[in-house]
Amino acid sequence: MATSSPAATVAPAISATLAPRRSSKLLIGIVIAVGLIAAGGAAAYVFLPRFMGAASTETAKAPMPEKPIFLTLEPLTVNLQSEGRGRFLQIGMALRVRDEQTKAQLVEFMPEVRSRLLLLLSNRAPESVVAPEDKAKLAEEIRKALSTPLAPDTPELGISSVSFNTFVVQ
């Protein structure tokens, strides 16, 4: 006879209720572990660049370039060498200099600077200053001519470039 005892029916019911508890505890543990890992990853993403990046960005940043120093010259008008009718060049320029001392020296010797420019520019044919390449070549010649010392005991001037702001050939 197969009569079931109350103990026999209780045992499967207890084992059935214990199994979901174990799997739910395991599931809760896994969810908490994944949450902690995600929180740790998010914290590392947010805070680690601030600590690591502070040192690396200071070394990676290039020093700020110094503010350029320019000396703008009054426009010059020069007769050009031409056959027949008279031609002239009206030119205005700015010199980019190395430091304030060079700028002060150029201002002090301005009559000689203008004289050097007039002599250099008056020997030109009108056709030799029209093309952009010719203007770039002329700017370099002016830079070299003005960089030579203005007085016997002075060093070479630090003129890094010549920029034209007026350039008219007629």
Side-chain angles (χ1 to χ4, degrees):
M1 296 198 68
T3 57
S4 60
S5 69
T9 56
V10 172
I14 292 175
S15 65
T17 58
L18 287 179
R21 282 192 180 168
R22 271 192 204 153
S23 64
S24 66
K25 285 183 182 180
L26 182 63
L27 183 63
I28 290 172
I30 291 173
V31 168
I32 290 174
V34 168
L36 289 174
I37 291 171
Y45 178 77
V46 170
F47 294 113
L48 200 56
R50 291 183 185 172
F51 297 118
M52 299 293 286
S56 64
T57 54
E58 288 177 10
T59 57
K61 286 184 182 176
M64 292 293 292
E66 292 183 20
K67 185 177 176 183
I69 302 170
F70 288 100
L71 173 63
T72 303
L73 303 178
E74 294 290 324
L76 296 167
T77 304
V78 180
N79 289 325
L80 297 174
Q81 292 184 357
S82 66
E83 298 174 11
R85 71 175 209 191
R87 308 270 315 254
F88 68 91
L89 168 68
Q90 182 180 15
I91 188 169
M93 65 189 82
L95 307 175
R96 185 174 183 167
V97 295
R98 170 181 53 217
D99 53 17
E100 289 292 334
Q101 182 181 3
T102 302
K103 183 177 179 179
Q105 190 174 10
L106 284 166
V107 169
E108 183 180 348
F109 286 90
M110 190 54 68
E112 186 173 338
V113 169
R114 290 180 64 85
S115 175
R116 285 184 186 184
L117 287 170
L118 288 170
L119 291 173
L120 179 68
L121 296 171
S122 64
N123 291 330
R124 305 277 171 188
E127 300 80 28
S128 70
V129 292
V130 176
E133 299 84 25
D134 296 333
K135 292 176 186 176
K137 183 180 171 186
L138 179 62
E140 182 60 23
E141 290 177 18
I142 291 170
R143 188 194 69 75
K144 286 180 182 177
L146 296 181
S147 290
T148 58
L150 295 168
D153 297 334
T154 59
E156 185 173 296
L157 296 174
I159 299 173
S160 59
S161 67
V162 175
S163 302
F164 299 122
N165 50 29
T166 304
F167 203 98
V168 178
V169 178
Q170 274 190 321

